[in-house]
Each structure stands twice: as structure tokens, then as C-alpha cells.
Amino acid sequence: MSCKIITVFNQKGGVGKTTLSVNLSYEAELRGLTTLLINIDPQGSAISWIANAPDENPFPAAIIDLSALGTKVRLEIEKHFNNYDLIIIDCPPNKEQKTAQAALMVSDIVVIPVDPTPMSLVASDQALQLIDEVKVYNDDLKTLIMASKMERTNLAKGVLSALHQTQGATTMKSCTTNLVAYAEAFFYGTGVSAVPGATKASDEIKSVTDEIFSHLENLSPGKIY
Ligand SMILES: Nc1ncnc2c1ncn2[C@@H]1O[C@H](COP(=O)(O)OP(=O)(O)OP(=O)(O)O)[C@@H](O)[C@H]1O
Ligand SMILES: [Mg+2]
């Protein structure tokens, strides 16, 4: 199986899951990877994002909505393995995470975006517990924590250094900072690296993509081999 699966997960709302999922999908396509973005969030934010793209410049990755399937998502995801180099899954914010856990059963990497507030440390512990339940069945699952909407405050730096102490997960070196360009990308229906003038956000999302992909072995466009 050459298809790799990255799931973006945190049961806390508004931390940047959809923003990361959509931008990773966009950057993957730029790198020649045939990519499928799967929405399993009933809010459908990823679908709304892609719907904003103009007809003459459609979003490059394919997208499907499996949010109504519940735990049956796993079987449905498997049907796409042969057609894509990469699948990215955008999870909902819920205490109840059976659908996301079903997706994590077939994932290679789970990325947890964490915004730099003290409440988020509690949330990331809860996220890791939910992931641990899945690791019993999928012990190859790699867990990455990504600081999202980072700021230059001492509070944010303190939260980040606490995240670096996390057991059982790797806290990423790269992060996203708090920039309005991410919201603008939603309105353009594109990746932030295509937003005019968004150089800083573009640079950071490319570093984030490099770092996440560096954890995937044999990730190369299907057309090369
Ligand atoms: N790095 C960032 N800098 C500034 N704003 C950001 C950043 N990342 C995301 N946002 C904004 O934060 C809000 C929430 O982001 P997003 O929808 O990606 O979070 P989410 O975790 O998917 O939310 P939900 O839990 O509701 O699905 C959006 O308005 C988005 O534009
Ligand atoms: Mg979302």
C-alpha cells in the first residue's frame, strides 16, 4: 500500500484543524502528490472552504464528505487507497470521537494542532488518551503535536515548552503563528501560500508540511514509480 494517511485531530474546537487539513492538502498537490481530503466533521468547514474556490481556479485536491458515516468511515476510506498518494482527514471537535477513532485506525500520522492557552494543555492530554485507545490496534500510528496560532507572549512560550515535555508524542519544531492570512485563504478557497502577500504564512505552512512529511517513509508521487 503506497497511500499514506494523515489525520488532523483534536476534540477541542477552533484550534486550527480544518486550516491545517486544507493547507496540507494544497501543499501536497503542489508537490505532485495526488491528494484526497476527507471531511468527517458534520460542520463541513473544509467543504465550505473548497466551495469558495473560483470555477476557473478550483482547489487542486479532491474532497469527499464522509461525516454522516460514523464508524463506517474506516471501510469507506480504504476504498480510496489505490487512487491517491495521500489522504488527509479533517476531524470534528467533540467529546465523542468514535468516528475520528475509526479514521485513526487506518492512519499513519495523527497531527494535533494546539493553540497556546493553558486550557489547551488539558485538551491535548485528552486527545492523547483518545489516541492511545487507538494505538492498541494501530501501534504504528505516529503522533505529532503542532503549535497553532503561536504568539510571542510568555504564556504561549510556556505552553509550548510544556508541550515539548509530552510523553508518547513528538512536538513539532515548526508551527503556525497567529496571522489573518489563514482566514483570508478560506475566503479565496485556496491554500495560504496562494494568498497575495502572505509570505510569512506561506513560509510557515511549507515548513509545517516539510516536517510532517518527513515522518512518512516512501512518500513520493505515484507517477514516479
Ligand atoms: N495560524 C492561525 N492564525 C490565525 N488564525 C487562525 C490560524 N489557524 C486557524 N485560524 C483561524 O481560527 C479559526 C478556527 O480555525 P479552524 O476552523 O481551522 O479550527 P478547527 O479546529 O477546525 O475548528 P472546529 O473545531 O470548529 O472544526 C478560523 O477562523 C481560522 O481562520
Ligand atoms: Mg474544523
Side-chain angles (χ1 to χ4, degrees):
M1 184 188 89
S2 63
C3 180
K4 303 291 182 190
I5 305 187
I6 300 171
T7 296
V8 182
F9 175 79
N10 191 338
Q11 77 292 338
K12 185 169 189 281
V15 294
K17 294 181 289 295
T18 302
T19 301
L20 179 62
S21 303
V22 171
N23 278 288
L24 268 185
S25 308
Y26 187 85
E27 295 302 318
E29 282 281 345
L30 282 189
R31 292 164 193 224
L33 300 167
T34 307
T35 305
L36 175 65
L37 174 58
I38 298 183
N39 172 62
I40 59 168
D41 178 3
Q43 295 176 114
S45 320
I47 309 270
S48 311
W49 191 313
I50 268 70
N52 285 338
D55 288 352
E56 62 280 10
N57 190 17
F59 193 81
I63 184 162
I64 55 170
D65 183 3
L66 302 184
S67 60
L69 274 186
T71 53
K72 288 195 171 63
V73 287
R74 178 181 172 172
L75 291 171
E76 202 55 39
I77 293 164
E78 285 175 347
K79 291 180 189 167
H80 298 278
F81 282 176
N82 292 331
N83 298 330
Y84 293 93
D85 299 316
L86 185 65
I87 293 176
I88 293 172
I89 303 172
D90 183 25
C91 293
N94 274 325
K95 265 191 157 169
E96 182 55 47
Q97 282 290 349
K98 295 289 174 223
T99 308
Q101 285 180 306
L104 287 169
M105 294 277 195
V106 288
S107 298
D108 297 283
I109 289 184
V110 53
V111 187
I112 312 172
V114 176
D115 55 350
T117 65
M119 293 83 85
S120 293
L121 288 174
V122 179
S124 71
D125 276 349
Q126 288 167 351
L128 289 166
Q129 279 170 28
L130 290 161
I131 291 165
D132 276 348
E133 291 171 17
V134 173
K135 282 188 173 166
V136 174
Y137 305 96
N138 179 9
D139 57 0
D140 290 336
L141 182 64
K142 171 105 198 163
T143 307
L144 303 178
I145 295 174
M146 186 199 80
S148 177
K149 312 186 196 184
M150 262 306 277
E151 290 176 354
R152 287 166 172 272
T153 60
N154 288 334
L155 177 65
K157 286 177 194 158
V159 172
L160 186 60
S161 77
L163 287 173
H164 277 285
Q165 312 300 319
T166 310
Q167 304 289 316
T170 301
T171 298
M172 292 169 50
K173 291 190 189 73
S174 45
C175 66
T176 68
T177 61
N178 196 353
L179 295 170
V180 71
Y182 290 100
E184 288 171 352
F186 174 89
F187 286 108
Y188 286 111
T190 187
V192 77
S193 65
V195 172
T199 320
K200 184 160 190 278
S202 173
D203 287 350
E204 63 192 27
I205 210 69
K206 285 180 190 298
S207 298
V208 162
T209 305
D210 285 343
E211 188 170 349
I212 294 173
F213 286 4
S214 75
H215 290 277
L216 287 172
E217 282 168 31
N218 307 322
L219 180 69
S220 52
K223 52 191 174 247
I224 289 177
Y225 45 76

